[in-house]
Amino acid sequence: MNRLQQRVEKLGGILDVAKALVAERDLDRLLTLIVHAAARVVEADRCSLFLVDRDRGELWTKVAQGIGTKEIRIPMNRGIAGAVATTNAAINIPDAYKDPRFNQNVDKQTGYKTRTILCVPMRSVEGEVVGVLQALNKLDGRAFTDEDEELLSALGGQAAAAVNNALLHHEIEQLFEGFVRASVVAIEARDPTTAGHSGRVARLSVGLGDMLPRAGKTAGRWKGSSLTSQERQELRYAAMLHDFGKVGVRENVLVKANKLEPLELENLRGRFETIYVQEELQAEREKVQILLRTPADEARHRLAQVDARLAERRRELSGMFEFVVSCNRPTVLPEGTFDRLHDIARATFLGPFSGEKRPFLSENEVVKLSIRKGSLTEGERREIESHVTHTYRFLTQIPWTRTLKRVPDIAYGHHEKLTGKGYPRSLKESEIALPTRMMTISDIYDALTASDRPYKRAVPKEKAYDILLDEAKRGELDQDLLRVFIEADVPGNAPQEP
Ligand SMILES: [Fe+2]
Ligand SMILES: [Fe+2]
């Protein structure tokens, strides 16, 4: 009766373990769990677990009680574990040192004395050997029994299912990870000047998330908030992909440094040179006329006048061109400077082929050169802003797993402002979620401090903090989160590889 009760208890124990195993997705923790359960079920001193790696024809283990968690690999056909894995049958050895299959070297290395061994295959539902469970030294000093073999095999079956589950889960995670990284490579290939931005924003966002629960009162209304490991991963993916939509923005707009594109400026330079050459030619013609019609001593004086006028004109034209070049840079221009631009635009010259009068500057050039802030026209700015919508459209195409389903939404809000004046949806404060707010701060900080464009100087950290604080004061950014960001020095403390 007592034995029957024990058996029922052990079987019940296996069921409990099976439930726990199914819930554990992390392979390392799962393997530890199995090994401890196995040792308990058969009352063994130690237990180890080997997994089959068919691609390499090897058995490998990470968890071997007593030896630590180093990864050990052995050929599939070696030793007792190898024999069990290849024959798919259990081996029960009552006296290890009398059995030729036992490798005494392992004991010599570890100082352990193996006496009894029970080794069973871990079979999947399809009957395939996934791994091997090996129990050493029954605690009562006797050999392992048939019942032990039965119990360990039952546990092995549960363990096999759980390991397959965890491996599959791990593969899916790896797949997502690889896909996200490949997407980042694609964005950065398109816009090399923003290289590293996505990774840095992910690092800062996750870093801020990690600091939040430790911030105490500093976190204000977010006091006590924290991210679960799944939410952390969700935020990380959203941050890595937040600017992916830039692949949908025309490249010349994306990498535009000045108001005119380089070819447009070259074209303009050519035009000013043509205008000068025309005037030079005109001067030469005048000089010929003077020489033909004027007495020599008077001619010398008039020729000098023509030369002086031409030199003056040359200075004027190159002055105009230099002014145009200065307008072309993306600076904030003082009022009035554009008057001179309009004056230049009103001047005309004769088109060398058509003979028609043409303005020095076209209407389109004047519009572009009179941009007050930055280097983009209204249309170009809208086009750049559309990257957020492109990002969202792209991300919603992906069948995210349940724990990652908010990735598209988090990324969609990264240019929204708490004042409702952000884009593209002008969301209200209540509609902007915590992870999005963390990413917005990180995105702006990195845009300010990165020296990623030849024409843009990197802002030092303290100055970037001041700019962010100004935005928070205007109600655009989350003040509480920004306080944590600055006080915990997230840029200095965030994990390098989040
Ligand atoms: Fe963006
Ligand atoms: Fe960004």
Side-chain angles (χ1 to χ4, degrees), residues 14-179:
I14 291 180
L15 279 176
D16 286 344
V17 170
K19 272 186 233 156
L21 297 188
V22 171
E24 185 55 71
R25 293 268 166 83
D26 180 85
L27 189 62
D28 287 354
R29 280 201 300 265
L30 177 64
L31 296 182
T32 312
L33 212 63
I34 296 171
V35 164
H36 286 293
R40 216 169 39 240
V41 161
V42 295
E43 291 157 354
D45 181 47
R46 282 186 183 187
C47 202
S48 48
L49 187 160
F50 294 88
L51 290 176
V52 173
D53 181 344
R54 291 199 190 278
D55 293 340
R56 293 166 66 165
E58 286 173 338
L59 289 175
W60 66 276
T61 180
K62 263 191 184 171
V63 186
Q65 275 183 313
I67 307 179
T69 55
K70 206 174 70 186
E71 187 175 303
I72 299 165
R73 289 184 165 266
I74 52 171
M76 183 98 152
N77 53 13
R78 172 112 34 103
I80 294 161
V84 169
T86 39
T87 59
N88 196 354
I91 293 177
N92 188 350
I93 299 176
D95 190 344
Y97 279 76
K98 282 192 186 146
D99 196 295
R101 291 169 296 186
F102 177 64
N103 177 5
Q104 299 182 14
N105 285 332
V106 179
D107 273 7
K108 281 194 190 117
Q109 279 165 25
T110 58
Y112 189 73
K113 178 83 196 315
T114 305
R115 293 183 306 271
T116 53
I117 303 174
L118 174 62
C119 194
V120 302
M122 288 164 54
R123 288 193 203 98
S124 69
V125 186
E126 294 82 23
E128 193 187 44
V129 183
V130 173
V132 170
L133 267 177
Q134 181 172 266
L136 302 181
N137 294 357
K138 178 112 177 150
L139 289 175
D140 62 10
R142 289 188 234 175
F144 288 103
T145 62
D146 286 351
E147 191 189 14
D148 290 332
E149 186 182 321
E150 195 188 338
L151 290 171
L152 198 60
S153 298
L155 182 72
Q158 299 300 327
V163 165
N164 268 345
N165 230 347
L167 287 174
L168 197 65
H169 189 76
H170 183 68
E171 270 176 37
I172 293 171
E173 276 180 348
Q174 291 298 104
L175 184 75
F176 266 121
E177 184 69 28
F179 159 77

Side-chain angles (χ1 to χ4, degrees), residues 277-291:
V277 169
Q278 279 186 357
E279 301 203 2
E280 196 179 33
L281 197 66
Q282 184 57 35
E284 290 306 318
R285 282 201 197 106
E286 258 180 64
K287 279 155 98 178
V288 170
Q289 292 301 321
I290 291 167
L291 284 172

Side-chain angles (χ1 to χ4, degrees), residues 60-342:
W60 66 276
T61 180
K62 263 191 184 171
V63 186
Q65 275 183 313
I67 307 179
T69 55
K70 206 174 70 186
E71 187 175 303
I72 299 165
R73 289 184 165 266
I74 52 171
M76 183 98 152
N77 53 13
R78 172 112 34 103
I80 294 161
V84 169
T86 39
T87 59
N88 196 354
I91 293 177
N92 188 350
I93 299 176
D95 190 344
Y97 279 76
K98 282 192 186 146
D99 196 295
R101 291 169 296 186
F102 177 64
N103 177 5
Q104 299 182 14
N105 285 332
V106 179
D107 273 7
K108 281 194 190 117
Q109 279 165 25
T110 58
Y112 189 73
K113 178 83 196 315
T114 305
R115 293 183 306 271
T116 53
I117 303 174
L118 174 62
C119 194
V120 302
M122 288 164 54
R123 288 193 203 98
S124 69
V125 186
E126 294 82 23
E128 193 187 44
V129 183
V130 173
V132 170
L133 267 177
Q134 181 172 266
L136 302 181
N137 294 357
K138 178 112 177 150
L139 289 175
D140 62 10
R142 289 188 234 175
F144 288 103
T145 62
D146 286 351
E147 191 189 14
D148 290 332
E149 186 182 321
E150 195 188 338
L151 290 171
L152 198 60
S153 298
L155 182 72
Q158 299 300 327
V163 165
N164 268 345
N165 230 347
L167 287 174
L168 197 65
H169 189 76
H170 183 68
E171 270 176 37
I172 293 171
E173 276 180 348
Q174 291 298 104
L175 184 75
F176 266 121
E177 184 69 28
F179 159 77
V180 169
R181 284 180 185 278
S183 304
V184 170
V185 170
I187 321 166
E188 298 189 345
R190 189 75 200 293
D191 183 7
T193 50
T194 63
H197 173 67
S198 317
R200 288 192 303 266
V201 174
R203 175 180 170 264
L204 295 170
S205 305
V206 167
L208 178 53
D210 291 348
M211 304 299 172
L212 199 55
R214 287 178 241 160
K217 270 202 205 124
T218 311
R221 100 190 80 159
W222 303 110
K223 185 168 173 258
S225 302
S226 63
L227 300 180
T228 65
S229 67
Q230 288 155 351
E231 286 167 339
R232 190 180 188 273
Q233 182 71 310
E234 207 172 33
L235 174 59
R236 179 172 165 262
Y237 281 161
M240 284 176 84
L241 296 169
H242 75 282
D243 276 336
F244 185 82
K246 286 188 174 172
V247 298
V249 176
R250 282 179 303 150
E251 198 155 3
N252 54 345
V253 177
L254 205 58
V255 301
K256 201 175 170 203
N258 295 309
K259 298 176 184 177
L260 296 175
E261 275 159 34
L263 211 63
E264 287 177 309
L265 186 68
E266 265 325 289
N267 188 353
L268 231 161
R269 182 198 303 279
R271 190 180 315 143
F272 274 84
E273 280 167 359
T274 306
I275 293 168
Y276 174 70
V277 169
Q278 279 186 357
E279 301 203 2
E280 196 179 33
L281 197 66
Q282 184 57 35
E284 290 306 318
R285 282 201 197 106
E286 258 180 64
K287 279 155 98 178
V288 170
Q289 292 301 321
I290 291 167
L291 284 172
L292 287 174
R293 293 184 189 161
T294 327
D297 47 341
E298 198 195 326
R300 203 176 307 123
H301 174 66
R302 287 190 54 192
L303 287 178
Q305 274 181 330
V306 172
D307 279 337
R309 211 170 54 225
L310 183 65
E312 171 58 26
R313 192 62 186 144
R314 188 193 169 93
R315 271 195 298 279
E316 233 173 68
L317 285 169
S318 73
M320 282 184 201
F321 183 68
E322 267 164 37
F323 178 73
V324 166
V325 169
S326 76
C327 288
N328 188 37
R329 288 186 211 111
T331 44
V332 182
L333 291 169
E335 202 76 29
T337 0
F338 295 121
D339 291 348
R340 188 167 172 208
L341 206 59
H342 290 286

Side-chain angles (χ1 to χ4, degrees), residues 197 242-243 246 387-388 414-415 423 443:
H197 173 67
H242 75 282
D243 276 336
K246 286 188 174 172
H387 79 272
V388 187
H414 79 272
H415 284 294
Y423 63 85
D443 187 33

